[in-house]
Amino acid sequence: MLSTFLFAQLAPPEQVGWLSRKLLGVTLTSAEWVLWLLVILSVLSIALMLERAVYFSTHRLPDSEALALKLARGEFEAVRAAIQGRKGMEAAVIREGLASTAQGADTVEEVIASTVARERPQYERYLSFLGTLGNNAPFIGLFGTVLGIIKAFHDLGTANVKGAAIQETVMAGISEALVATAVGLAVAIPAVVAFNVFNRQLKTLTSRTNALGHALVASLRAERPKSSAGEGH
């Protein structure tokens, strides 16, 4: 497609079709607006990275392993005190699970699954934007580069220069156009890294939450046989 545009630029005006002239009129614009678009997307992605980093750090339990052991031992009051004022998926699962212990282990298990399904989207927020930006920013930069190259060859065809001046005109235009590709990569790489890091943290957090839920349910099911045995005796 690029070669078609370049051929149309160098061809005599009478050999250029109507559609080609219209498309060239659209594409013969500066690629600077593409750079501004990439800069805006970069600022937005950095803001979202910082927001997600703060959210993940403030919505987790640093001592979930110790709390899982206490739940398995049936120390429910100590766990309630430990999660007082805490936010996040882990604290919500423990809080709502403990509030449903009187209804039995099966009910607690359903409550835990419902709480995880409700809390997880809060952690996934904006991650799709980072993933989409990481995948498509290089193509936006490439689009700017193509526009710049088309304009450079158009300027070459209309400029009345010869010899070394031709090379200077073309090289200056192409080097300026390639900046868009470099900026696109600079925007995409941090977005991809952040997307992978946050996804990994979310998987770890979900695993820890499930471990807390299993510890609570196991403790409740272990207490039931003891209660049944005491009643029979």
Side-chain angles (χ1 to χ4, degrees), residues 12 81 86 155 184:
R86 296 280 188 171
D155 294 341

Side-chain angles (χ1 to χ4, degrees), residues 124-135 195 199:
E124 295 175 336
R125 204 182 202 181
Y126 305 129
L127 295 188
S128 60
F129 174 84
L130 293 176
T132 303
L133 180 61
N135 289 330
F195 176 77
N199 263 331

Side-chain angles (χ1 to χ4, degrees), residues 46-62:
I46 292 173
L48 293 181
M49 291 177 204
L50 294 176
E51 190 273 339
R52 287 292 86 188
V54 172
Y55 186 88
F56 272 78
S57 63
T58 57
H59 289 71
R60 60 186 297 270
L61 293 178

Side-chain angles (χ1 to χ4, degrees), residues 29-32 35 144-156 165-181:
T29 58
S30 175
E32 187 173 358
L35 295 176
T145 297
V146 172
L147 292 179
I149 292 176
I150 293 173
K151 188 174 185 303
F153 275 89
H154 178 265
D155 294 341
L156 175 64
I166 295 178
Q167 181 178 0
E168 182 179 352
T169 301
V170 175
M171 290 301 106
I174 292 178
S175 62
E176 182 179 351
L178 289 175
V179 172
T181 299

Side-chain angles (χ1 to χ4, degrees), residues 2 5 24 32 94 116 127 150 152 181 186-187 210:
L2 177 58
F5 279 126
L24 288 172
E32 187 173 358
I94 295 175
V116 171
L127 295 188
I150 293 173
T181 299
V187 173
N210 290 331

Side-chain angles (χ1 to χ4, degrees), residues 110-129:
E110 293 297 325
V111 168
I112 290 172
S114 174
T115 305
V116 171
R118 186 192 68 221
E119 293 289 329
R120 185 181 175 91
Q122 301 299 322
Y123 292 86
E124 295 175 336
R125 204 182 202 181
Y126 305 129
L127 295 188
S128 60
F129 174 84

Side-chain angles (χ1 to χ4, degrees), residues 172-218:
I174 292 178
S175 62
E176 182 179 351
L178 289 175
V179 172
T181 299
V183 174
L185 292 173
V187 173
I189 293 173
V192 171
V193 172
F195 176 77
N196 292 332
V197 168
F198 289 133
N199 263 331
R200 180 61 183 170
Q201 290 185 3
L202 179 57
K203 289 180 180 178
T204 301
L205 185 65
T206 304
S207 298
R208 293 169 58 176
T209 302
N210 290 331
L212 290 168
H214 290 321
L216 175 58
V217 172

